[in-house]
Amino acid sequence: MATALFQRIIYGMVLILAVIVLNFLLIQAAPGDVVDVLVTEAGGGDPEIAAQIRASYGLDQPVYVQLAKYLGNMLTGDLGYSYYRDESVLELLLSHLPSTLILTLSALLFAIFIGTMLGIYAATRPQGVTNHMVTIFSLLGYATPVFWMGMMLMLVFSLYIPIFPSFGFRSIPAPETMLPRILDILHHLVLPTFTLSILFLAGYSRLSRASMLDVLGADYIRTARSKGLSEFVVIFKHALKNASLPVVTIAGLQLGQIFSGAVIVETLFSLPGIGPLLYDSITNHDYPVMMGVLFGTAVTVVVANILTDLVYRLLDPRIRGIS
Amino acid sequence: MKNPTLKSENTVLSVENLCVDFEIKGKQVQILSDISFSLERGKTLGIIGESGCGKSMTALALMRMIPSPPGRISAGRVVLKGEDLAQASEKRIRDIRGGEISMIFQEPMTSLNPVFTIGNQIVEAIRRHKDIGKSEAWKEATDLLDIVHIPAPNRRVHEYPHQLSGGMRQRVMIAIALACEPTVLIADEPTTALDVTVQAQIFDLLNEIQKDRGTCIILITHDFGAVAEMADRVLVMYAGHKIEEGTLDEIIDSARHPYTQGLLRSMPEIKVDPGDIRESLAEIPGVVPDLLHLPEGCPFAPRCSFVMAQCQDLPHYMDLGDNRSVKCWLAQEDSRTKEQA
Amino acid sequence: MSEMIDQQDLAAQFGEKPEKPEKPWQATARMFYTNKAAVFGLIGFLIVILLGLFGPIIFGADPFDIAGKPLMEPQDANPLGTDYLGRDILSGVIYGARPTMIIAITATVCATVIGISIGAIAGFYGGKIDNFLMRFTEFFQVLPSLVFAMVIVAVFEPSFLIVVLAIGTTTWTPLARLARAEFLKIKEREFVLAARALGAQNIRLILRVILPNALPPLIIAITLRVGTTIIFEAALSFLGLTDPSIMTWGRMIGLSRDYFFEAWWTVTFPGLAILFTALFIALIGDGLNDAFNPKLRRR
């Protein structure tokens, strides 16, 4: 198991290297460079000064030297500098990631939990209404744009029935003591989390229903019943652990998608996460931040994939045994 | 209809006129028709027939484990030690399952849950029916593995099913089934998926257990060889009907139903003297009928080489005395001619 | 497991067989047309396509024209209201069908070509080629598709071509995996081995022998991909990352983002247009799935 994990980590590092190279290529492909932006920002167009700045950044050197330098910088944690924000990209990322992680994790857990419950409920009552509901629900989940869903929820729960805030991460001014502070943040997170999770929830409910139906027909479920176990134990012990395997796999594969969704939801709800950071960097042609966000999200997905792999190994002894 | 199965005081389980219906495409289809038999303490009943004849369904019906919907027990009684299981409450039947009646299945490779250790799966069965502590249950589980001759039980008890061979897994299944010293052990094709040498070992194990504990065994199989090795009595099934029943010797020596005779012919090593059947070492022609489109009358008629006009009506059970019965017009005619002679 | 059959298996086993043998495609079409939800989806989708083709001719009004006061509630003159510049929402929704569908379909074609080429080559050749191509695919899976597409559009310019290419290059991975799995499975089948033994060229094997047999699951995936792409493009447009001269439904919502608390209709109706179109596509996809795999129905 340890060697498998080690291999996984090495492979993850290779992926991250590849992302760095891609970043570099994208910057190279971009019409104009940082200096053009800088010079334009400064309001001047003096080609001599521009050339000087280029030389000082090493932009006049051959591409492979630049790539080597870029790789070196990235690997030592120097993700570049935001001229627009006057802050290092690494710091910007680190200050914006936590909010995004809280949002994605809570949305993911909520979606998996409720989705699985719905799926189980539908799978154990094949003739029931829930079955149709899961089908309809998953169709709507597929067909609804996440930002539009967010807007509709805002209209209903912030405007017409104002019970949840539609803007920001905390109240201004924020409560002073610890507990109300946390509750305040949670209160702000309700709508964004719900918006982000509901679409994935629809998918998970369908997936876990299918996987549950599959597992419930398995021979070992018949064995469990023949021991005289109650339906509750049969479903929540014997079936669930097996049925959760495909759900974990898909959740792992969908992490990138959840990040994409989070970018939109954060932008919509003005949360201080990666989404607005990326959005602002795009409007302001702040390439280092743009590339930093692409890099940061890719690294997070790589790490999360390794964690998913670990969870899968914990759940399935058949994989665990092979090392 | 008269119950043709006689009961003695040693009878542990008796099944009386059991019928099971399935609803398929809105139609009620009878999967089991009027099945009766009884089981005596420490004896083995073999139920034999081609696949799809209702053998496994009979076993599942005893434990009330027919998938429902679409299936249901539509008539009959399953009496275990004086209690009708067909009418028992859901809670009571769960106490019976794994406690009084337990079952081992055909597919040892898939019948154990892959994500739990075998110890966990045995302990679970023990603690479901016995009020004992965890550590004690684990000790019992280890002992059970020893009883079913699994080497190094102390280590094996912590292993997962995928770490065991098919034969070993079937032994684990037997250990689970034995966990609460059941009165009746149903073995549904327990060796079909295993190698021939392993098959013999499993049969030896079942025989040993029966000798030590006096467990009744119902052996479900399509293999007359297995029946010959294990069974005291034999019940032959075809298309959901019990078509013949008798002791092992009676069935082998004087099968009355053409279907039973056909089954025996396809197993030449059963007969002591194969000379008289040499001419037709063949499979029974045709296939098991589609239960949605069963012919009127005797279900075997379309494949029977002795079919007569009378076979358009369903034959009754004919009691041949001594708990021996057959469901065939020809057999009844034969006995009548014998009587007249 | 001889008799623990569930109802579907029993029905399939004992069920009446069709009188005369049908060709597989005929059977699929028959299955599809007997599925009410699928037919509903197909009709709805055709209406959207017809709206995209002929809507502007029939309804006439230009969506960029000022049709009334800004942010007017739905009323007789503007049945779906007006936006912040006083443009008619209804004509916006009607005119939006064409660009939305054109981008969705071209981007799906783009993703399909990339995905199936890579998946087919990986599955067909196997070995090192497969290994390399799958690593390549995994690399693209690590990049969150929307973030990646946003960066591509931002680095280049937000034109029709760039948007299509950005969507195509960021969303082809599931199709590649599916195509690879199908090719791996089918290339071992007898008729492929037979064709190979008869000396068929690899190109012929890939395109003429294996691909047609891999089509059913691919067609389902591609159909569903069109809907996903509509939503993906809408998200890009919502964030302003799209060709400014093209007014898709997503862009209508994005432009009205600052006004929707005052005027719900400015975002609700274009959003419903997206939702219904994607829903029609999902129903078609589900119908195709059931039609291709009748045994797995209702799963």
Side-chain angles (χ1 to χ4, degrees):
Chain A
M1 175 147 179
T3 36
L5 187 66
F6 187 68
Q7 278 175 352
R8 208 73 182 72
I9 291 172
I10 295 288
Y11 177 54
M13 287 170 135
V14 175
L15 280 177
I16 289 169
L17 267 183
V19 174
I20 297 174
V21 175
L22 174 86
N23 268 356
F24 180 78
L25 293 178
L26 276 173
I27 299 173
Q28 290 290 314
D33 57 32
V34 198
V35 182
D36 288 328
V37 180
L38 267 185
V39 172
T40 328
E41 292 264 310
D46 192 336
E48 236 171 81
I49 296 172
Q52 255 180 5
I53 303 175
R54 281 207 176 85
S56 73
Y57 283 112
L59 294 177
D60 53 348
Q61 285 170 324
V63 174
Y64 61 88
V65 178
Q66 287 188 43
L67 173 62
K69 223 178 138 193
Y70 186 75
L71 268 173
N73 286 345
M74 295 291 277
L75 291 177
T76 51
D78 177 8
L79 305 189
Y81 193 81
S82 166
Y83 306 100
Y84 179 75
R85 293 195 178 227
D86 203 14
E87 218 178 326
S88 94
V89 173
L90 184 65
E91 272 170 35
L92 277 169
L93 277 183
L94 290 179
S95 61
H96 286 76
L97 255 180
S99 155
T100 307
L101 285 180
I102 292 175
L103 176 68
T104 43
L105 278 182
S106 45
L108 186 64
L109 293 180
F110 183 78
I112 289 182
F113 180 74
I114 303 289
T116 307
M117 289 302 131
L118 266 177
I120 291 175
Y121 192 86
T124 49
R125 287 159 188 78
Q127 324 288 336
V129 190
T130 332
N131 241 314
H132 297 291
M133 272 175 54
V134 166
T135 308
I136 292 170
F137 190 47
S138 67
L139 283 173
L140 287 177
Y142 163 89
T144 314
V146 61
F147 57 91
W148 185 75
M149 169 67 83
M151 287 173 143
M152 294 299 117
L153 289 174
M154 272 181 177
L155 280 178
V156 176
F157 294 108
S158 299
L159 187 65
Y160 299 121
I161 318 167
I163 45 175
F164 293 115
S166 65
F167 179 89
F169 193 56
R170 49 170 66 107
S171 306
I172 301 168
E176 309 240 316
T177 44
M178 197 61 189
L179 188 66
R181 233 183 142 97
I182 293 174
L183 288 178
D184 181 54
I185 291 180
L186 288 180
H187 188 216
H188 278 80
L189 276 178
V190 170
L191 274 191
T193 307
F194 193 65
T195 306
L196 184 55
S197 68
I198 193 162
L199 305 182
F200 292 98
L201 198 164
Y204 289 140
S205 63
R206 192 172 183 156
L207 176 68
S208 60
R209 176 183 61 176
S211 135
M212 203 68 187
L213 276 174
D214 213 36
V215 168
L216 284 176
D219 290 350
Y220 53 79
I221 294 300
R222 192 179 47 178
T223 307
R225 290 204 175 109
S226 79
K227 291 182 196 171
L229 300 174
S230 67
E231 268 312 276
F232 185 85
V233 177
V234 169
I235 287 167
F236 284 91
K237 179 182 173 187
H238 284 269
L240 183 57
K241 201 171 171 190
N242 285 284
S244 64
L245 294 174
V247 178
V248 170
T249 309
I250 296 294
L253 281 175
Q254 282 188 337
L255 284 166
Q257 274 190 50
I258 294 187
F259 256 109
S260 298
V263 164
I264 300 187
V265 170
E266 285 175 339
T267 312
L268 182 66
F269 285 90
S270 312
L271 298 178
I274 294 290
L277 183 68
L278 176 64
Y279 183 76
D280 288 349
S281 70
I282 287 173
T283 10
N284 300 310
H285 301 283
D286 193 351
Y287 289 116
V289 173
M290 240 186 266
M291 296 308 156
V293 170
L294 187 58
F295 175 73
T297 47
V299 170
T300 318
V301 171
V302 168
V303 172
N305 277 336
I306 294 174
L307 292 178
T308 316
D309 205 52
L310 269 178
V311 171
Y312 198 97
R313 278 165 200 281
L314 286 178
L315 284 175
D316 191 347
R318 284 164 294 187
I319 306 275
R320 211 187 302 159
I322 307 158
S323 54
Chain B
M1 199 176 288
K2 181 179 150 283
N3 167 28
T5 306
L6 301 176
K7 272 185 259 180
S8 76
E9 56 196 68
N10 267 333
T11 300
V12 175
L13 175 79
S14 72
V15 173
E16 297 161 14
N17 312 102
L18 182 69
C19 296
V20 169
D21 286 5
F22 262 58
E23 194 184 315
I24 296 163
K25 290 184 173 174
K27 266 196 241 174
Q28 290 290 329
V29 181
Q30 200 161 61
I31 301 280
L32 291 184
S33 309
D34 196 23
I35 305 291
S36 302
F37 59 86
S38 67
L39 198 56
E40 287 179 18
R41 191 172 307 283
K43 298 284 187 203
T44 300
L45 171 73
I47 301 184
I48 191 164
E50 286 165 287
S51 63
C53 71
K55 312 179 296 265
S56 303
M57 202 51 79
T58 310
L60 291 173
L62 298 189
M63 297 178 86
R64 287 250 305 269
M65 277 177 51
I66 293 167
S68 167
R72 69 189 175 90
I73 296 176
S74 52
R77 283 157 39 97
V78 177
V79 182
L80 177 79
K81 294 178 178 168
E83 180 187 6
D84 183 8
L85 300 184
Q87 303 298 327
S89 72
E90 198 51 45
K91 191 181 168 307
R92 176 71 190 135
I93 199 75
R94 279 205 302 271
D95 288 339
I96 300 283
R97 286 181 202 149
E100 291 287 337
I101 307 180
S102 46
M103 188 160 173
I104 51 183
F105 299 98
Q106 182 173 358
E107 288 294 339
M109 303 311 275
T110 51
S111 289
L112 289 167
N113 196 325
V115 299
F116 296 106
T117 60
I118 57 175
N120 183 324
Q121 296 182 57
I122 302 173
V123 165
E124 177 183 60
I126 297 173
R127 297 197 65 197
R128 166 66 184 81
H129 298 284
K130 286 190 204 168
D131 190 19
I132 61 170
K134 255 199 180 141
S135 53
E136 207 179 328
W138 275 87
K139 204 193 154 300
E140 267 190 33
T142 318
D143 293 346
L144 278 165
L145 290 183
D146 198 33
I147 289 171
V148 297
H149 305 309
I150 288 184
N154 284 315
R155 179 167 56 87
R156 290 288 184 183
V157 78
H158 297 295
E159 291 191 341
Y160 288 92
H162 72 273
Q163 293 165 292
L164 276 68
S165 69
M168 285 293 173
R169 288 190 213 184
Q170 198 59 296
R171 286 168 192 271
V172 173
M173 282 299 293
I174 295 173
I176 291 175
L178 292 181
C180 301
E181 286 137 37
T183 318
V184 180
L185 176 65
I186 304 173
D188 185 0
E189 307 259 10
T191 59
T192 309
L194 302 174
D195 290 345
V196 183
T197 46
V198 184
Q199 284 185 14
Q201 292 168 11
I202 296 288
F203 285 137
D204 287 346
L205 176 62
L206 289 173
N207 274 325
E208 184 186 322
I209 286 161
Q210 186 168 49
K211 230 172 73 193
D212 291 352
R213 307 183 168 214
T215 316
C216 305
I217 296 179
I218 299 179
L219 175 72
I220 291 169
T221 180
H222 65 275
D223 174 11
F224 234 125
V227 167
E229 195 153 332
M230 292 279 302
D232 301 300
R233 296 185 58 77
V234 180
L235 191 155
V236 186
M237 286 190 69
Y238 187 82
H241 293 264
K242 174 180 96 172
I243 55 161
E244 187 160 8
E245 188 191 353
T247 65
L248 180 65
D249 293 342
E250 284 166 349
I251 296 291
I252 288 184
D253 295 337
S254 57
R256 303 295 294 274
H257 199 287
Y259 177 69
T260 318
Q261 291 165 355
L263 273 183
L264 281 165
R265 267 201 297 278
S266 60
M267 291 286 304
E269 70 267 28
I270 298 291
K271 280 275 183 182
V272 195
D273 171 24
D276 58 331
I277 50 145
R278 189 52 42 148
E279 81 284 358
S280 57
L281 181 71
E283 287 177 13
I284 304 165
V287 289
V288 182
D290 163 346
L291 289 180
L292 261 186
H293 305 109
L294 265 188
E296 291 280 306
C298 175
F300 186 61
R303 292 170 76 187
C304 184
S305 21
F306 305 100
V307 64
M308 329 178 277
Q310 218 174 350
C311 297
Q312 284 177 8
D313 298 319
L314 185 66
H316 319 293
Y317 281 118
M318 189 176 79
D319 197 346
L320 301 172
D322 229 9
N323 242 349
R324 169 144 173 71
S325 69
V326 66
K327 202 177 198 177
C328 175
W329 292 118
L330 182 71
Q332 300 192 10
E333 201 134 294
D334 283 353
S335 350
R336 216 171 301 136
T337 32
K338 266 181 207 154
E339 269 167 37
Q340 282 164 3
Chain C
M1 263 298 312
S2 56
E3 274 139 300
M4 270 288 285
I5 348 174
D6 64 337
Q7 190 171 15
Q8 291 148 11
D9 285 348
L10 271 177
Q13 197 174 323
F14 298 131
E16 290 104 302
K17 290 170 188 94
E19 293 295 311
K20 55 187 171 208
E22 281 176 309
K23 284 179 186 156
W25 287 99
Q26 283 175 333
T28 305
R30 187 175 49 82
M31 283 290 295
F32 186 87
Y33 289 124
T34 49
N35 183 340
K36 278 182 202 143
V39 172
F40 175 77
L42 185 64
I43 292 172
F45 184 69
L46 288 178
I47 291 176
V48 174
I49 295 287
L50 290 177
L51 206 63
L53 288 176
F54 304 112
I57 304 169
I58 299 168
F59 293 93
D62 190 323
F64 287 99
D65 278 351
I66 308 295
K69 283 187 215 148
L71 303 181
M72 291 263 283
E73 276 197 43
Q75 24 71 25
D76 291 346
N78 314 98
L80 303 184
T82 61
D83 74 357
Y84 65 106
L85 291 176
R87 296 178 292 200
D88 185 45
I89 302 277
L90 176 62
S91 35
V93 168
I94 292 169
Y95 271 76
R98 189 187 292 185
T100 305
M101 292 313 296
I102 289 177
I103 293 185
I105 289 173
T106 40
T108 304
V109 168
C110 180
T112 304
V113 170
I114 303 174
I116 293 188
S117 311
I118 288 181
I121 292 172
F124 183 80
Y125 289 100
K128 278 186 184 150
I129 295 178
D130 179 32
N131 209 349
F132 171 76
L133 287 177
M134 279 303 108
R135 294 291 173 253
F136 184 69
T137 311
E138 276 164 32
F139 167 67
F140 273 82
Q141 275 181 321
V142 159
L143 300 158
S145 50
L146 185 71
V147 175
F148 191 19
M150 282 167 78
V151 171
I152 292 177
V153 176
V155 164
F156 300 95
E157 83 244 51
S159 68
F160 172 80
L161 185 68
I162 290 295
V163 169
V164 165
L165 286 178
I167 299 176
T169 46
T170 54
T171 58
W172 55 269
T173 52
L175 286 169
R177 289 185 159 273
L178 182 64
R180 171 178 177 268
E182 286 300 310
F183 267 69
L184 276 178
K185 200 166 67 191
I186 295 172
K187 78 169 177 188
E188 302 297 339
R189 300 251 293 267
E190 293 80 359
F191 60 88
V192 180
L193 300 178
R196 202 189 278 274
L198 289 173
Q201 298 279 307
N202 283 345
I203 289 290
R204 195 188 143 74
L205 283 175
I206 292 175
L207 292 179
R208 304 294 298 277
V209 182
I210 305 181
L211 188 60
N213 288 287
L215 277 182
L218 288 173
I219 288 175
I220 297 165
I222 294 166
T223 309
L224 291 174
R225 174 68 33 200
V226 175
T228 320
T229 309
I230 293 177
I231 290 163
F232 195 90
E233 189 279 333
L236 279 178
S237 301
F238 171 75
L239 295 167
L241 292 164
T242 186
D243 191 331
S245 65
I246 299 176
M247 187 64 91
T248 60
W249 292 327
R251 199 164 128 78
M252 288 176 73
I253 302 175
L255 289 175
S256 302
R257 194 180 137 195
D258 293 335
Y259 309 95
F260 83 99
F261 263 33
E262 293 92 72
W264 56 269
W265 53 91
T266 53
V267 298
T268 305
F269 294 115
L272 282 177
I274 297 175
L275 194 156
F276 274 107
T277 309
L279 192 64
F280 295 145
I281 292 169
L283 290 175
I284 297 174
D286 264 17
L288 286 175
N289 197 16
D290 290 350
F292 282 126
N293 313 300
K295 277 200 170 177
L296 296 176
R297 267 189 104 158
R298 310 226 145 267
R299 289 239 164 150

